[in-house]
Amino acid sequence: TFENCEFLYSISLMMNRIRVIPSGAFRRNEYLASLRLDGNSIQFIAPDSLIGTQLYSLNLEYNQLTSISRALIAPIAQHLMFLDLRNNRIASLPRRIFDGMRRMYYLDLTGNPVQVIPSDTFHSMPNLGRLLIADCGLSTLTARHFQEKPFLWQLEVDGNHFTYFAPNVFNLPSLENLGISANRIEMLDSASFGASLASLTHISAIS
């Protein structure tokens, strides 16, 4: 589609009616670093459509995606820092879907009906700073989900189905902002917070 625009750095196609991103859509855009496709009706993205780019920012929020594949993510994993998948229809995450994303800083999965997130999903993201997993239908998280996240300062798990939080689930030394509103929690235990007790500045717990 943009094969004659070899020096494109940024593309914004937000708020249109795009339904499909075809195979090889950005194959000659080797300098492409930022891609905004939010606010469309995208249902399918060809797995090879991002090969050859150097995307550090990919915005896909408010579309109609029902899945996200490792084949799509893998070619851009080493560069990606910002990934927004908010308000799609993604119902499951393949194990280790985000492997190789060592530069990832911002990940938003809010509003997807994933319900269960494998405990190793975020393991290859040592530089993760902001993680938003609100309104996903989650009921369980463990300390393994957030192991080795020394820079995670914002975590939003609002609007899920938690009745309690496991011991050390928020054991995050840099955590400042924690959103736990609109869950089903009857009691908070200090054992859930671990190292974050010394760093937290804001907790949102509105019922």
Side-chain angles (χ1 to χ4, degrees), residues 16-204:
N16 282 288
R17 300 179 181 178
I18 300 169
R19 294 183 177 275
V20 173
I21 303 299
S23 176
F26 307 103
R27 63 188 168 200
R28 295 191 63 187
N29 303 124
E30 61 181 297
Y31 298 107
L32 186 61
S34 176
L35 179 59
R36 296 202 60 169
L37 296 168
D38 42 311
N40 282 284
S41 301
I42 298 172
Q43 299 175 358
F44 176 76
I45 303 177
D48 66 345
S49 61
L50 303 178
I51 291 176
T53 68
Q54 299 187 45
L55 285 178
Y56 77 86
S57 179
L58 176 59
N59 193 316
L60 292 166
E61 67 175 319
Y62 291 97
N63 278 290
Q64 298 175 17
L65 294 169
T66 57
S67 64
I68 191 85
S69 72
R70 176 68 186 153
L72 175 68
I73 294 296
I76 59 172
Q78 64 178 323
H79 304 291
L80 209 56
M81 297 176 65
F82 302 90
L83 177 58
D84 196 336
L85 293 165
R86 174 187 292 259
N87 285 24
N88 277 276
R89 301 174 182 176
I90 299 168
S92 65
L93 295 173
R95 298 194 72 88
R96 311 304 290 264
I97 177 66
F98 300 126
D99 270 13
M101 291 188 173
R102 300 192 61 80
R103 299 182 66 194
M104 178 61 64
Y105 173 79
Y106 176 93
L107 176 61
D108 191 348
L109 295 168
T110 297
N112 286 283
V114 291
Q115 297 188 14
V116 175
I117 295 178
S119 61
D120 57 2
T121 298
F122 311 120
H123 277 197
S124 66
M125 301 179 179
N127 293 301
L128 192 63
R130 302 176 64 191
L131 177 60
L132 288 69
I133 48 176
D135 299 311
C136 290
L138 300 171
S139 58
T140 302
L141 286 172
T142 69
R144 273 183 53 80
H145 282 87
F146 308 123
Q147 278 184 339
E148 299 179 6
K149 295 291 175 290
F151 306 114
L152 188 62
W153 66 269
Q154 181 184 12
L155 176 61
E156 294 186 3
V157 297
D158 311 80
N160 283 292
H161 301 319
F162 296 107
T163 57
Y164 75 100
F165 291 115
N168 288 316
V169 66
F170 303 130
N171 185 29
L172 299 161
S174 298
L175 189 63
E176 297 179 12
N177 296 339
L178 175 63
I180 56 176
S181 295
N183 279 284
R184 302 172 181 176
I185 302 162
E186 296 184 359
M187 183 180 69
L188 285 175
D189 190 332
S190 61
S192 301
F193 293 84
S196 69
L197 287 172
S199 59
L200 276 166
T201 60
H202 180 76
I203 298 176
S204 174

